[in-house]
Amino acid sequence: MIFGTLPSGEQVERVELSSGRLRASVLSYGAILQSLEVSGVNVVLGLTTLEDYLTRSRYFGAVVGRYGNRIAGGRFTLDGAEHRLPLNNGPNSLHGGDHGFDRKVWTISEATGSSVTLTVISPDGDQGYPGTLTASITYTLEDDALRLDYTAETDAPTVVNLTNHSYFNLAGGGDVLGHVIQIDAEHYLPVDEHKIPTGEPAPVKGTEFDFTTPHAVGERYDGGYDHCYVLDGGIRVTERGLTMEVTTTEPGVQFYAGGMLDGVATPYGPHAGLCLETQHFPDSPNQPRFPSTVVRPGENRTSTTTYRFTA
C-alpha cells in the first residue's frame, strides 16, 4: 500500500507482515521498521506520517549506511586514497552522512506474507564513499522472532557497516530505564568527547558498563549509555514479563539508551526507547586494530541479526 509521496514525487510503500503472534510494518523509505507488535503490543518506536519521518525522526527503525555509527573527522584512507564524508555529527560523519540509506527510497524486490526484501543502489561517490554499492535487507517474521538478513556488494573497494536503528520499548510506552538488560560482553569501547573509540577495548568488570549480569538500564550511569560492546554472545532484555533475546553474526552492538530524545524535535522524550544496533565497530576505517569493514569487488558481505520474544 502507498504510505505517502516525497517532495521529489517518489512514492513510499508500506508492507504488512505477520507470523504467529508477531505483526510488523516496513516502509520502503529508509527500509524502516515502522512497527513490530508482539501479542498486540508495539515494541518499537514509530511515526504515523511520512512528513514526521522527514522532519521528526532520529533514525527511528531505519537501516543506516553506508556506514552505521561514527567516522572520525569525516574522512578515511583506503588503498592510499583519502575519502571525505559529510560532517553531520559535530566533527564526525554519522550513519552514512546527510543523505544516507535512512533517507533513500529502497526498492521492494520480494514480498510474502511474512517476509520482505528491500534493495538500494548507492552510486560511486555517494556521500563521499567510493564504488557503486548494492545493499539489501530482508525482514522475516518467524512465529516468535524477527530476523534481519543484510547483504552488500560493490564494484570498487569501499567500506560498509549496515545496521538497523530501531528503538525498543517492550512495555509499549513510558521509558526504558526499568528495562533489565544483559549483554554477553567482557569488553566495551571507551570513547572520547566526540564519541569516537579511543582504540583499545576495555574490560567492563567493575564498571557501570558491566552487563554480564542483569541490570536495569537506569540503575547506573544515569542511563546515559551510547557505547559499543565487543560481543562474546547474545543480548537479553526483559520488561513486564516479556523477554527479547538478540543474537547476531556481527562483532559488536551499539547500546544506546535514548537519552538524547527530547520530546520536542521528536514525539518521544528521553529514554522512550533503547537501541541495540548490531554492527562492526565505530570508526573502523581509521582503526586498523578493529575488524575490517572493507568490501572489495567479488565479495558479498552478509550478516544476520535475530530478535526473539518470549513471555
Side-chain angles (χ1 to χ4, degrees), residues 117-296:
T117 299
L118 305 99
T119 301
V120 68
I121 298 176
S122 175
D124 180 35
D126 186 14
Q127 299 294 286
Y129 290 91
T132 298
L133 185 83
T134 301
S136 69
I137 181 171
T138 300
Y139 291 99
T140 304
L141 295 184
E142 300 174 321
D143 294 331
D144 62 351
L146 169 65
R147 192 179 79 237
L148 280 58
D149 294 294
Y150 304 87
T151 67
E153 56 186 9
T154 182
D155 65 358
T158 192
V159 296
V160 64
N161 186 31
L162 301 178
T163 188
N164 179 273
H165 207 292
S166 287
Y167 292 73
F168 291 92
N169 185 319
L170 301 189
D175 64 50
V176 297
L177 295 177
H179 282 44
V180 175
I181 186 168
Q182 185 171 4
I183 304 174
D184 188 0
E186 298 286 346
H187 296 82
Y188 79 107
L189 301 180
V191 294
D192 64 17
E193 68 273 21
H194 301 301
K195 298 188 178 179
I196 296 296
T198 55
E200 289 290 340
V204 299
K205 187 174 181 179
T207 75
E208 60 267 39
F209 300 101
D210 188 352
F211 285 94
T212 55
T213 57
H215 291 277
V217 171
E219 180 180 334
R220 306 164 300 174
Y221 200 58
D222 294 326
Y225 299 99
D226 190 8
H227 297 77
C228 190
Y229 285 75
V230 182
L231 287 174
D232 301 308
I235 306 139
R236 183 182 178 96
V237 184
T238 301
E239 169 67 7
R240 296 188 185 179
L242 181 63
T243 295
M244 179 176 73
E245 296 183 81
V246 186
T247 56
T248 185
T249 59
E250 291 286 83
V253 63
Q254 186 82 8
F255 169 38
Y256 170 47
M260 288 180 283
L261 297 176
D262 60 12
V264 178
T266 80
Y268 298 102
H271 306 295
L274 62 86
C275 298
L276 295 167
E277 304 159 60
T278 57
Q279 59 184 259
H280 273 59
F281 302 155
D283 199 39
S284 289
N286 296 312
Q287 309 238 13
R289 296 182 182 179
F290 289 175
S292 176
T293 56
V294 175
V295 179
R296 299 184 181 276

Side-chain angles (χ1 to χ4, degrees), residues 24-171:
S25 59
V26 175
L27 305 180
S28 60
Y29 179 73
I32 287 170
L33 179 66
Q34 183 190 22
S35 66
L36 176 62
E37 294 184 5
V38 182
S39 299
V41 176
N42 184 21
V43 298
V44 298
L45 305 189
L47 303 175
T48 57
T49 68
L50 181 57
E51 177 65 21
D52 277 347
Y53 279 109
L54 295 177
T55 61
R56 306 190 73 194
S57 181
R58 291 296 180 270
Y59 305 101
F60 293 127
V63 174
V64 293
R66 288 187 193 188
Y67 201 95
N69 220 310
R70 296 169 176 86
I71 294 181
R75 64 179 66 187
F76 66 93
T77 299
L78 177 60
D79 296 342
E82 184 181 74
H83 301 278
R84 298 199 174 201
L85 317 172
L87 300 180
N88 62 334
N89 180 243
N92 308 320
S93 187
L94 175 68
H95 294 332
D98 297 310
H99 196 75
F101 288 0
D102 63 296
R103 293 280 179 176
K104 297 183 184 296
V105 177
W106 295 52
T107 299
I108 297 173
S109 51
E110 186 176 352
T112 68
S114 60
S115 178
V116 62
T117 299
L118 305 99
T119 301
V120 68
I121 298 176
S122 175
D124 180 35
D126 186 14
Q127 299 294 286
Y129 290 91
T132 298
L133 185 83
T134 301
S136 69
I137 181 171
T138 300
Y139 291 99
T140 304
L141 295 184
E142 300 174 321
D143 294 331
D144 62 351
L146 169 65
R147 192 179 79 237
L148 280 58
D149 294 294
Y150 304 87
T151 67
E153 56 186 9
T154 182
D155 65 358
T158 192
V159 296
V160 64
N161 186 31
L162 301 178
T163 188
N164 179 273
H165 207 292
S166 287
Y167 292 73
F168 291 92
N169 185 319
L170 301 189

Side-chain angles (χ1 to χ4, degrees), residues 286-309:
N286 296 312
Q287 309 238 13
R289 296 182 182 179
F290 289 175
S292 176
T293 56
V294 175
V295 179
R296 299 184 181 276
E299 299 176 353
N300 187 13
R301 174 65 58 85
T302 64
S303 69
T304 298
T305 296
T306 301
Y307 303 90
R308 188 170 304 278
F309 298 89

